[in-house]
Amino acid sequence: MTAPLETTSASAEAQPEAVLAGAGASQIEGRSLGQIAWTRFKRDKAAVAGGIVVIGLVLMAALAKPIQAVFDLDPNKFHQDLVDPALQAPKGAWGGMSWEHPLGVDPGFGRDLLARVIEGSWVSLLVAVGATLVSVTIGVILGVIAGYYGGWVDSVVSRLMDTFLAFPLLLFAISLSASVQDGFWGLTGLPLRIAVLIFVIGFFAWPYIGRIVRAQTMSLREREFVEASRSLGARGPFIIFRELMPNLVAPILVYATLLIPTNILFEAALSFLGVGIAPPQASWGGMLTDAADRYEADLQYMFVPGLAIFITVLAFNLLGDGLRDALDPRSK
Amino acid sequence: MLRLVIRRLLQLIPTLLGLSVLLFVWLNRLPGGPASAILGERATEAEVARINKLLGLDQPLYIQYGRFLKRIAELDLGTSTQTGQPVWDEFTLRFPATVELSIAAMIIAIAVGIPLGYLAARHRGGWLDLGSVTGSLIGICIPVFFLALILKGIFAVEMGIFPTTGRQSTDINATDITGFAVLDGLITGEFDASWDALVHLVLPAVTLASIPLAVIVRMTRASVLEVVGEDYVRTAESKGLERKVVRGRHIMRNALLPVVTAVGLLTGSLLSGAVLTESVFTFGGIGSFIRTAISERDYPVLVGFIMFIALIYVLINLLVDLAYSLIDPRVRVH
């Protein structure tokens, strides 16, 4: 988790009292700020638990296809024999749970729910992480420029951020992703939906990162080590990349981690409303739509995708909170 | 105060311009714009060109944009492709339901959240504190529509205490005066209609309240903890002021400042949550209608509704800013 911090001692001349880890290794205590942060992080049980769950989820998402192949889990295979034809409900107790289908099968089609949850995980994480990267890219570029150059540049960027923040994002995302049709960007089907979701969610969430980066840059800009660098003849780009960026890694990492769960909820909401990932591709939000449509047949179904989303969001939030406390103890 | 109001109103201009440009670009320049919405995906080039000419989309951009602004100002947003009614009429017909739901949710969130946050802070580390911190974490992490389904499944389907869908039972012929079902019944004296509407309101309102409630509890707790440590609170306590006075005048008045801002921002975001909540409970407000507009590809309704909601959202934020300066005199100085 702290790997990027320990490699960022580029500005070792920075002040030892620099609040953010990564500002440089202070040799006096024999512990780098990264190590101090790691010690602090390890003490936070909830954050460690969150981190472990996150690692597990990422592995599950990354290895979704191999896992499905090895355990013979097909997310789109119908098992009509497991569904009661009259009620459309899975046969047996607990939504048709059995050794063969540990989480049961879905009503109507009898598709294996474990396979669909695994299948949904890579979609969900890909969209959430992709969108976060988009937000971080736009937010960091504009935030640093606004914070460093100030003046009218800052006014324009800040107004832009206010404008974005003044909108109900979900509604905009609904209308945007509802109106994109096949063939846009030369993509169709699932790749198009994923690309659109990443772009739409990322595009609307960047001001959250932008604001934080701008504020941090503004306070860093006035610090002595930046002044020293400038007096030695360093120009804007050098100062931004060599002096400011290493100090911005920690807050960016923290807020990116906290943005991921928001984006997971965002994607699930869009898929739930029918403008995100389209069926038959399994997605957690889409599974909840099925559950909502068929709650009379199978009331337990909704807990499978619902808890998948909840656990994922909770884990990322705990990890993010823990990282924030460890890296920036002064913030709350 | 007046100068502040004027300055805030002036600051709205760039925001509103930004909003209009965004919508304009979306409407006209993205694939899936009006022409393909009308003609479907397999339209030929010639047909698209004809429709574009018909709609004035072949004219220079600035002229199109000017006409777009004029139409917004006249509240002329076309007609719904589902019902054939003007979008504005559809909006005014359904908006009261969403407002009623949002107000109910906010009342729950504030009435429960602030006392709970205060008590949690005053009994820090106790079971109430632990419970409210855990509860608010769950509230923030649980998807609104999942919570809606759980509540509906348990209290409406399994236990049958509350109705599963709708705003009012169909056998009740309530008089419609304001559009607010609960209020209408009180005005006309049809108390059974009011009660019926209230019963329908409970589950959606509790669902919608979950996120604001969680945020308000967290913020109140953090804010009270901070204020309680201040010197002036210790002074007030040590000079023997009544606990009630210290709580009201010294702790809460200061601690609630950030909470008020949060309440305002949350009120705006309630509108997004309402779309999800309403679609589970088929509540009949703008949220339910947006849901069907999505599946029916009713673009005029989507654009129009979203624009009005964005406008309302911006205005709520403005009111919050002004309310803030009323409570906190320090803001007015600048």
Side-chain angles (χ1 to χ4, degrees):
Chain A
M1 284 304 124
T2 50
L5 305 172
E6 266 132 12
T7 56
T8 53
S9 49
S11 58
E13 73 274 28
Q15 311 301 303
E17 76 265 22
V19 183
L20 302 164
S26 156
Q27 290 304 312
I28 303 160
E29 289 177 270
R31 283 197 306 172
S32 73
L33 287 173
Q35 281 168 326
I36 295 171
W38 176 237
T39 325
R40 231 185 263 133
F41 180 80
K42 273 193 299 190
R43 234 179 286 146
D44 188 345
K45 294 282 181 294
V48 172
I52 292 169
V53 174
V54 165
I55 292 171
L57 282 164
V58 170
L59 284 176
M60 175 167 100
L63 301 174
K65 295 293 175 196
I67 293 175
Q68 288 167 358
V70 169
F71 293 99
D72 194 23
L73 294 165
D74 185 345
N76 291 319
K77 192 176 173 195
F78 289 7
H79 300 277
Q80 296 288 12
D81 53 313
L82 296 175
V83 179
D84 189 317
L87 297 171
Q88 292 290 303
K91 288 176 190 164
W94 300 104
M97 279 187 193
S98 63
W99 282 112
E100 219 145 296
H101 305 285
L103 294 180
V105 294
D106 73 352
F109 305 111
R111 291 173 294 194
D112 182 68
L113 286 186
L114 179 63
R116 289 184 76 71
V117 165
I118 295 174
E119 181 71 8
S121 71
W122 73 261
V123 177
S124 187
L125 286 185
L126 180 64
V127 170
V129 173
T132 303
L133 289 179
V134 172
S135 298
V136 167
T137 309
I138 307 177
V140 168
I141 293 174
L142 290 180
V144 166
I145 289 176
Y148 183 74
Y149 290 103
W152 68 268
V153 182
D154 183 33
S155 308
V156 171
V157 175
S158 297
R159 274 287 109 199
L160 197 64
M161 291 198 277
D162 287 348
T163 307
F164 270 86
L165 290 172
F167 295 141
L169 301 185
L170 180 70
L171 297 176
F172 267 81
I174 289 173
S175 51
L176 266 178
S177 44
S179 64
V180 173
Q181 290 167 4
D182 264 1
F184 193 52
W185 290 330
L187 296 170
T188 52
L190 183 62
L192 174 73
R193 296 317 307 173
I194 289 178
V196 166
L197 285 175
I198 288 177
F199 178 76
V200 168
I201 298 174
F203 184 65
F204 280 113
W206 72 265
Y208 294 103
I209 301 280
R211 275 193 162 181
I212 287 151
V213 171
R214 171 180 168 272
Q216 292 279 354
T217 308
M218 281 172 80
S219 76
L220 286 172
R221 187 184 63 182
E222 306 302 329
R223 299 275 283 276
E224 290 86 348
F225 68 92
V226 175
E227 208 172 301
S229 183
R230 203 177 290 135
S231 68
L232 288 170
R235 295 268 165 267
F238 181 87
I239 294 176
I240 287 175
F241 286 107
R242 299 302 297 274
E243 307 289 350
L244 298 179
M245 284 307 244
N247 288 292
L248 289 171
V249 169
I252 293 169
L253 184 73
V254 167
Y255 288 97
T257 314
L258 288 171
L259 195 55
I260 291 175
T262 316
N263 289 347
I264 289 174
L265 286 176
F266 213 133
E267 184 273 326
L270 290 178
S271 295
F272 178 73
L273 289 172
V275 292
I277 302 296
Q281 169 65 39
S283 68
W284 293 346
M287 288 167 80
L288 274 171
T289 313
D290 290 350
D293 291 343
R294 294 176 181 275
Y295 69 89
E296 279 150 337
D298 182 5
L299 205 56
Q300 283 126 19
Y301 177 21
M302 66 186 179
F303 287 100
V304 175
L307 286 177
I309 300 173
F310 176 70
I311 290 168
T312 310
V313 170
L314 183 66
F316 272 104
N317 271 325
L318 290 176
L319 174 66
D321 284 345
L323 281 180
R324 182 180 50 192
D325 294 342
L327 292 172
D328 189 1
R330 285 205 311 196
S331 72
K332 263 200 302 115
Chain B
M1 192 63 198
L2 185 67
R3 278 182 58 193
L4 184 78
V5 174
I6 293 172
R7 207 182 64 208
R8 282 277 180 253
L9 281 174
L10 286 177
Q11 281 178 355
L12 268 186
I13 294 172
T15 308
L16 293 180
L17 279 179
L19 168 68
S20 67
V21 169
L22 252 176
L23 276 170
F24 175 71
V25 170
W26 171 49
L27 257 179
N28 292 294
R29 290 289 151 233
L30 280 174
S36 56
I38 292 167
L39 297 168
E41 284 175 42
R42 296 186 204 298
T44 63
E45 296 255 326
E47 282 174 324
V48 171
R50 193 177 58 84
I51 290 289
N52 279 347
K53 195 169 166 84
L54 203 69
L55 297 173
L57 297 179
D58 55 339
Q59 288 175 350
L61 271 183
Y62 63 91
I63 292 181
Q64 285 186 41
Y65 180 63
R67 290 194 355 206
F68 174 72
L69 286 185
K70 183 163 165 277
R71 276 181 50 202
I72 295 179
E74 290 168 349
L75 298 177
D76 166 23
L77 294 153
T79 51
S80 160
T81 56
Q82 296 170 84
T83 61
Q85 297 297 312
V87 169
W88 175 244
D89 293 355
E90 294 288 354
F91 187 78
T92 47
L93 181 70
R94 289 177 171 80
F95 194 53
T98 303
V99 172
E100 193 174 39
L101 173 62
S102 305
I103 290 175
M106 218 54 203
I107 290 175
I108 295 174
I110 293 172
V112 179
I114 291 179
L116 197 60
Y118 175 80
L119 289 174
R122 295 298 271 179
H123 305 279
R124 193 179 185 183
W127 60 268
L128 188 69
D129 187 26
L130 202 68
S132 59
V133 169
T134 316
S136 58
L137 186 63
I138 293 174
I140 284 169
C141 292
I142 199 165
V144 176
F145 42 97
F146 179 41
L147 182 63
L149 285 171
I150 295 176
L151 293 179
K152 183 174 160 178
I154 296 174
F155 295 105
V157 180
E158 290 287 306
M159 299 171 78
I161 304 174
F162 296 106
T164 51
T165 53
R167 266 186 97 189
Q168 225 161 20
S169 305
T170 40
D171 54 346
I172 288 186
N173 281 315
T175 330
D176 183 18
I177 301 173
T178 56
F180 300 107
V182 177
L183 193 65
D184 280 348
L186 293 180
I187 293 173
T188 57
E190 297 164 310
F191 296 117
D192 52 335
S194 269
W195 177 249
D196 184 63
L198 200 63
V199 171
H200 277 80
L201 202 54
V202 172
L203 289 183
V206 169
T207 306
L208 190 54
S210 64
I211 291 177
L213 175 61
V215 176
I216 289 173
V217 169
R218 273 189 168 190
M219 289 207 66
T220 311
R221 178 180 174 275
S223 188
V224 168
L225 278 179
E226 205 175 302
V227 171
V228 164
E230 297 282 347
D231 288 343
Y232 58 79
V233 172
R234 202 179 45 198
T235 311
E237 269 167 357
S238 59
K239 75 182 176 187
L241 286 181
E242 261 184 89
R243 208 176 153 81
K244 207 169 69 183
V245 176
V246 177
R247 184 176 65 205
R249 208 175 290 161
H250 296 85
I251 299 179
M252 284 319 248
R253 178 142 192 198
N254 288 293
L256 284 184
L257 290 175
V259 181
V260 170
T261 320
V263 166
L265 291 172
L266 290 165
T267 308
S269 64
L270 273 186
L271 293 166
S272 298
V275 176
L276 294 163
T277 309
E278 285 186 13
S279 76
V280 172
F281 291 102
T282 334
F283 193 67
I286 48 171
S288 308
F289 203 58
I290 286 179
R291 177 84 194 261
T292 47
I294 292 170
S295 51
E296 299 290 322
R297 299 200 164 265
D298 189 349
Y299 290 102
V301 164
L302 274 181
V303 182
F305 275 35
I306 282 157
M307 197 174 56
F308 288 130
I309 294 172
L311 273 176
I312 292 159
Y313 188 93
V314 171
L315 287 176
I316 290 175
N317 284 346
L318 173 78
L319 289 178
V320 172
D321 264 11
L322 296 177
Y324 196 72
S325 71
L326 278 181
I327 320 173
D328 188 358
R330 282 170 296 190
V331 179
R332 261 176 278 168
V333 180
H334 304 300

